[in-house]
Amino acid sequence: MKKQFAFLIPVFILVLFVASSCGKEDDPIVVKTKTQLLSQGTWKFKSATFAGSDVSSSIQSCQRDNILAFVSTGTGSADEGLTKCNMSDPQTNPFAWNFQSGETILFISTTLFTGGSSTFDLITLTETELVVSQGITVGPGPTRLIVVTFIH
């Protein structure tokens, strides 16, 4: 009897091991490209900082409410949102975009902020957040490196 019991324990452990390994395979992890992340939805301004301090109020409200849409083919549009900086401007402005320098720079064929340029250094791009930096010149003062965050 003891021999049969001693034989059943390893068999029972083997059956448990096999049964637990027969479960559903884990879904493979899908890593999205930067193009996929950028073009999966519209982006809205969240904040702007300079040297760690919030300077969002320095960005014109007519630019803070803009909505950006990037299409994976390298085109996009900037919707003026509720307020326009110039009432004669169209509600939506098309633009071209691409990644440069090994996808570390985002080029947009239009300027998004007064005193800014068409290129942004890419800091972070996730499913829900786009963080870029850009030198912006306000008035006669020096160019300042502003970090801008957009969200879905």
Side-chain angles (χ1 to χ4, degrees):
M1 182 77 162
K2 287 184 181 182
K3 284 185 177 182
Q4 289 176 339
F5 184 69
F7 174 75
L8 288 177
I9 290 175
V11 170
F12 181 71
I13 292 172
L14 181 63
V15 168
L16 283 177
F17 176 75
V18 170
S20 67
S21 66
C22 291
K24 180 183 169 188
E25 292 292 322
D26 290 336
D27 291 332
I29 296 173
V30 177
V31 177
K32 292 185 178 181
T33 65
K34 288 183 180 178
T35 297
Q36 290 170 322
L37 291 170
L38 190 65
S39 62
Q40 71 183 6
T42 58
W43 296 96
K44 299 173 187 172
F45 176 88
K46 178 184 177 188
S47 65
T49 60
F50 169 68
S53 296
D54 190 339
V55 294
S56 298
S57 62
S58 297
I59 305 290
Q60 295 179 31
S61 61
C62 60
Q63 294 172 335
R64 289 192 313 257
D65 73 347
N66 291 356
I67 300 167
L68 304 175
F70 295 85
V71 179
S72 62
T73 57
T75 61
S77 64
D79 186 289
E80 288 290 329
L82 294 176
T83 57
K84 292 182 179 182
C85 295
N86 185 345
M87 293 310 286
S88 64
D89 287 344
Q91 184 65 36
T92 305
N93 295 303
F95 59 78
W97 71 272
N98 62 57
F99 287 114
Q100 299 175 351
S101 298
E103 296 188 333
T104 61
I105 293 176
L106 174 61
F107 169 81
I108 302 173
S109 65
T110 188
T111 56
L112 300 181
F113 304 108
T114 302
S117 69
S118 295
T119 58
F120 294 86
D121 289 324
L122 186 61
I123 297 173
T124 305
L125 177 56
T126 68
E127 293 275 344
T128 59
E129 189 174 67
L130 168 63
V131 183
V132 293
S133 66
Q134 180 180 75
I136 295 180
T137 304
V138 180
T143 299
R144 296 190 171 141
L145 185 64
I146 305 295
V147 175
V148 181
T149 302
F150 297 93
I151 58 172
H152 283 294

